[in-house]
Amino acid sequence: MKAQALHGHLDALLLAVLERGALHGYAIIEALRARSDGSLDLPTGTIYPALRRLERAGHVASTWSTVNGRERRTYELTDSGRRALAGERAGWREFSITVGRFLDDSPATPA
Amino acid sequence: MKAQALHGHLDALLLAVLERGALHGYAIIEALRARSDGSLDLPTGTIYPALRRLERAGHVASTWSTVNGRERRTYELTDSGRRALAGERAGWREFSITVGRFLDDSPATPA
DNA sequence: GGCTGACAAGTAGCGTTGCTACTTATGAAG
DNA sequence: CTTCATAAGTAGCAACGCTACTTGTCAGCC
């Protein structure tokens, strides 16, 4: 998938991934890649800052732990994050319907 | 609709609107508003620069005319623009499917 | 005549966002 | 001893759309 097309929807994706359970940053990247069949392969420079943004906003909370000598920061959805996710979903629905109205009806769509 | 969510898809919308026929800037804004039932009410500061971008890229061509003493710049899709639109449509399809996989299946979707 | 509002186009400057490229560090495999 | 997967991070950049503003004509109203 064309990169940098996520604009404005990355936060929603991160919240959606964390909805299924707490994960650390690296695992989030892998979850996004897996659940999108490889379409979404985001660099660390994209998601680490995004996670800190979400934490500053109070939508996720992080806890450090050491696994096999490697430092891990595990992120978890907060209540605020769950509410934000609901809003993002509503926003996505409206956005995709609206844009789809212009881009989905291709000039030659068969029945 | 939440503003600035268009990120990356505005060009596609403009091309899609012009696909149905040449329009001038102001009319494009109205067409977007009409076809989206008012969801898309873009300010002139958004679309005029965007149109110039598209013209620089060769996707649209403009011609000036004077109607009722008012200057109009009418934009028209070029062949390159038509090709770009096809690409944007394909990109949108992939994007909406991918993001939708995370945001459409809400945890409590009834049958 | 003077005012307001719709029509029509434009620019300057800002803030957000995601990306590229880079650094640091551990453990396993060769 | 080097390379690769795991794990986290930062600095700086470029793109995008928005706010706020300017310029100008024409129609309708008082």
Side-chain angles (χ1 to χ4, degrees):
Chain A
M1 174 148 89
K2 232 256 273 12
Q4 74 239 19
L6 275 319
H7 257 286
H9 304 285
L10 175 62
D11 289 7
L13 291 181
L14 294 177
L15 294 174
V17 166
L18 289 176
E19 192 185 27
R20 301 198 174 171
L23 289 174
H24 61 280
Y26 197 84
I28 290 175
I29 295 178
E30 289 180 326
L32 285 166
R33 191 169 39 217
R35 249 174 97 181
S36 69
D37 289 329
S39 298
L40 244 40
D41 197 358
L42 304 182
T44 69
T46 291
I47 67 125
Y48 288 123
L51 287 169
R52 315 190 107 250
R53 259 206 322 269
L54 288 173
E55 187 166 31
R56 261 203 317 275
H59 296 331
V60 302
S62 68
T63 45
W64 282 99
S65 60
T66 305
V67 176
N68 266 356
R70 295 210 192 82
E71 298 286 295
R72 273 188 186 175
R73 181 133 132 181
T74 301
Y75 292 91
E76 192 183 5
L77 266 194
T78 63
D79 283 346
S80 159
R82 246 172 291 273
R83 263 178 275 123
L85 176 54
E88 294 277 9
R89 266 200 240 269
W92 165 253
R93 206 133 18 204
E94 197 188 350
F95 174 75
S96 67
I97 287 171
T98 302
V99 177
R101 211 177 296 185
F102 292 87
L103 296 181
D104 278 344
D105 55 305
S106 60
T109 307
Chain B
M1 173 146 93
K2 235 256 274 11
Q4 75 240 18
L6 275 319
H7 257 285
H9 304 285
L10 175 62
D11 290 6
L13 291 181
L14 294 177
L15 295 174
V17 166
L18 289 176
E19 191 185 28
R20 300 198 175 172
L23 290 174
H24 62 280
Y26 198 83
I28 291 175
I29 295 177
E30 289 180 325
L32 285 167
R33 190 168 40 218
R35 250 174 98 179
S36 68
D37 289 328
S39 298
L40 243 42
D41 197 358
L42 304 181
T44 68
T46 291
I47 66 127
Y48 287 124
L51 287 169
R52 313 191 107 250
R53 258 205 322 269
L54 289 173
E55 187 167 31
R56 260 204 317 275
H59 296 331
V60 301
S62 71
T63 44
W64 282 99
S65 59
T66 304
V67 176
N68 266 357
R70 293 208 194 83
E71 297 287 295
R72 273 189 186 173
R73 181 132 128 180
T74 300
Y75 292 91
E76 190 183 6
L77 265 194
T78 62
D79 283 345
S80 158
R82 245 172 292 273
R83 264 177 274 124
L85 176 54
E88 294 279 7
R89 266 201 240 269
W92 165 252
R93 207 135 16 206
E94 195 187 351
F95 174 75
S96 66
I97 287 172
T98 301
V99 177
R101 211 178 295 186
F102 292 87
L103 296 181
D104 279 343
D105 55 306
S106 61
T109 307

